[in-house]
Amino acid sequence: MTAPPRKLQTVGLFAGIGGIEAGLARHGHQAILLSEIDPIASVVLRGRFAQSKIIGDVRDLKCLPDCDLVAAGFPCQDLSQCGKTQGITGHRSSLVKEVFRLVESAKNRPSWLMLENVPFMLQLDSGSAMEFITSEVTRLGYRWAYRTVNALSFGLPQRRMRVVFIASRDADPSEVLFADNAAERSAAENPKGYGFYWTEGSKGLGWAIDSVPTLKGGSAVGIPSPPALWIPADRQIVTIDIRDAERLQGFRADWTKLPDEKRGGRWKLVGNAVCVKVAAWIGKRLARPGTVVCKKGKQLVKGKSWPLSACVEGTTAWEVLASNSPLIANSPSIVEFLRFPTRPLSARATYGFLHRAVNSRLRFEEQFLEDVQHHLETVATGQHERFRKILFEGVA
């Protein structure tokens, strides 16, 4: 007889708007406590997790309630390639220590831990962040594994790579992370749209084919940062609606809608969230672990960058040869995915992007800059002359 699926009592730290918890809940796991310091995100949590206790700063939490799993999408600002890259000792990302403080002091330590963060931490400072995390969970008596996965493989047209780290005191986390493996999604032959960030600098370009680049909370200058979308068929340059951004993270539309909410504030909440469908996959495998199908690669060497996926057996850590696509889920074109009206990219934003692009050494798809220029001609009518100046300079 098949054993019934496990249903875990969970605690969410750095819970944001509850992406991990919403995903886990799809397979019967219940969040009994959520901690989130952002007051607006906390309002969202109270509205979406009415049966859970909600608290603020994790540093004010003295002890954990009895639970089976502690989950934490801990702050990425110091570990992100787009951030200050201060590493695991940075002001924000070092807060992961609070997870280990609470687990160590728990009367009954939880059976499972789940962490989520950006893949740049695998190479930043020779992988010191992963060295610290794996050392801590090992010291606390946990066996660990991690895998880098892409939201694209879960049927969402968003190129979002994230590291999911699972540790267990009494089970094999590889049976959660490495029981599924599919071929990585190939680029579309006839793309209908291209996503890009108009807020990027002149040395890099957030670019995605038939999808959008990673949704983010805001730009370096503190403004809401929806990605732009180029639709070559009709030369459109538009930005997507916040409700479609929520859907791109696996939430239902208007998950973050609040009375008197500010649109820019919602972008921050959504951009910082954990993808619900990724968490749902983890929740499914926590409920019913599977047989490991991914093979081990090389033994890991301390002091070097970490591979995209790895696990520990005894005292030895190994690379795992896993794709970033655990599942086979056909992702629609971003153009087909959108349900809500788009907005033309503003003249100011278009001018700023085009000016940087013309003066950069970046290479672009044929016709892209011409269409951006055409869009500026359309939206700049009646605008300040400086928005029109670039029209006469050309883009060659």
Side-chain angles (χ1 to χ4, degrees):
M1 181 179 294
T2 303
R6 286 189 299 224
K7 295 183 178 181
L8 306 180
Q9 299 283 293
T10 72
V11 167
L13 308 179
F14 314 100
I17 56 174
I20 291 178
E21 293 71 29
L24 295 178
R26 294 184 180 182
H27 294 279
H29 310 298
Q30 181 184 11
I32 58 175
L33 182 145
L34 299 172
S35 171
E36 172 54 47
I37 194 171
D38 186 301
I40 305 302
S42 295
V43 173
V44 175
L45 292 176
R46 291 188 179 92
R48 304 305 180 196
F49 298 90
Q51 305 303 315
S52 305
K53 182 178 180 180
I54 312 296
I55 68 166
D57 194 337
V58 67
R59 291 169 291 189
D60 295 333
L61 184 60
K62 303 303 180 184
C63 61
L64 290 172
D66 283 345
C67 63
D68 304 303
L69 177 146
V70 171
F74 67 100
C76 69
Q77 288 89 338
D78 301 313
L79 301 173
S80 171
Q81 192 170 10
C82 298
K84 297 181 178 179
T85 62
Q86 293 179 338
I88 198 65
T89 60
H91 176 66
R92 298 294 299 279
S93 297
S94 64
L95 289 171
V96 71
K97 294 178 181 178
E98 296 298 316
V99 178
F100 305 133
R101 171 183 67 84
L102 290 166
V103 169
E104 184 169 20
S105 62
K107 181 178 179 180
N108 298 305
R109 291 183 182 175
S111 298
W112 296 89
L113 303 178
M114 175 182 175
L115 304 177
E116 185 266 6
N117 217 290
V118 295
F120 192 63
M121 73 172 181
L122 300 175
Q123 62 186 82
L124 180 62
D125 194 21
S126 299
S128 61
M130 287 303 297
E131 181 65 38
F132 173 74
I133 290 169
T134 55
S135 296
E136 284 294 283
V137 297
T138 299
R139 180 179 66 83
L140 294 172
Y142 290 83
R143 181 177 178 179
W144 57 263
Y146 71 85
R147 183 172 185 172
T148 303
V149 298
N150 192 344
L152 280 171
S153 74
F154 296 88
L156 298 170
Q158 179 193 181
R159 190 197 66 224
R160 189 182 188 89
M161 302 283 283
R162 287 295 185 267
V163 174
V164 181
F165 181 97
I166 302 291
S168 178
R169 288 174 55 82
D170 47 24
D172 183 359
S174 290
E175 295 177 353
V176 173
L177 287 179
F178 303 123
D180 303 291
N181 203 44
E184 296 180 10
R185 181 176 181 266
S186 57
E189 293 184 3
N190 298 296
K192 296 181 179 180
Y194 299 81
F196 67 97
Y197 267 113
W198 53 270
T199 54
E200 299 292 275
S202 60
K203 296 183 180 180
L205 174 68
W207 183 264
I209 301 172
D210 255 347
S211 57
V212 295
T214 304
L215 295 176
K216 55 187 180 181
S219 70
V221 292
I223 60 176
S225 193
L229 181 63
W230 171 43
I231 306 175
D234 50 16
R235 308 189 77 179
Q236 285 192 69
I237 306 292
V238 298
T239 58
I240 67 174
D241 189 273
I242 183 63
R243 293 166 291 183
D244 277 323
E246 291 168 325
R247 295 177 56 242
L248 282 164
Q249 289 283 53
F251 297 99
R252 66 174 182 266
D254 277 329
W255 180 267
T256 60
K257 184 175 176 59
L258 301 168
D260 302 320
E261 89 284 349
K262 293 182 179 180
R263 191 168 180 270
R266 291 177 69 180
W267 275 104
K268 178 181 178 182
L269 298 178
V270 174
N272 289 338
V274 175
C275 180
V276 175
K277 288 193 174 184
V278 172
W281 163 63
I282 296 295
K284 178 181 179 180
R285 280 304 180 193
L286 285 169
R288 290 191 183 279
T291 301
V292 175
V293 297
C294 300
K295 296 180 180 180
K296 293 195 297 291
K298 298 178 180 179
Q299 183 177 338
L300 302 195
V301 178
K302 285 189 176 183
K304 294 188 176 182
S305 297
W306 292 62
L308 293 176
S309 302
C311 70
V312 69
E313 289 189 357
T315 59
T316 305
W318 299 89
E319 176 188 17
V320 176
L321 305 178
S323 76
N324 61 37
S325 301
L327 307 178
I328 301 175
N330 293 326
S331 177
S333 164
I334 183 62
V335 177
E336 299 168 342
F337 178 86
L338 300 179
R339 290 183 184 172
F340 298 96
T342 57
R343 294 184 179 185
L345 187 63
S346 71
R348 184 184 296 272
T350 305
Y351 172 81
F353 172 78
L354 188 54
H355 183 73
R356 293 192 301 273
V358 169
N359 289 285
S360 75
R361 295 183 179 180
L362 297 173
R363 300 180 66 181
F364 300 93
E365 291 286 329
E366 185 178 358
Q367 192 62 35
F368 172 59
L369 291 186
E370 286 84 352
D371 283 359
V372 175
Q373 182 173 345
H374 174 266
H375 174 74
L376 183 58
E377 292 175 340
T378 302
V379 297
T381 303
Q383 298 280 339
H384 193 283
E385 182 64 22
R386 70 188 181 91
F387 291 142
R388 300 184 60 80
K389 180 181 178 182
I390 199 170
L391 304 180
F392 306 104
E393 296 176 348
V395 296

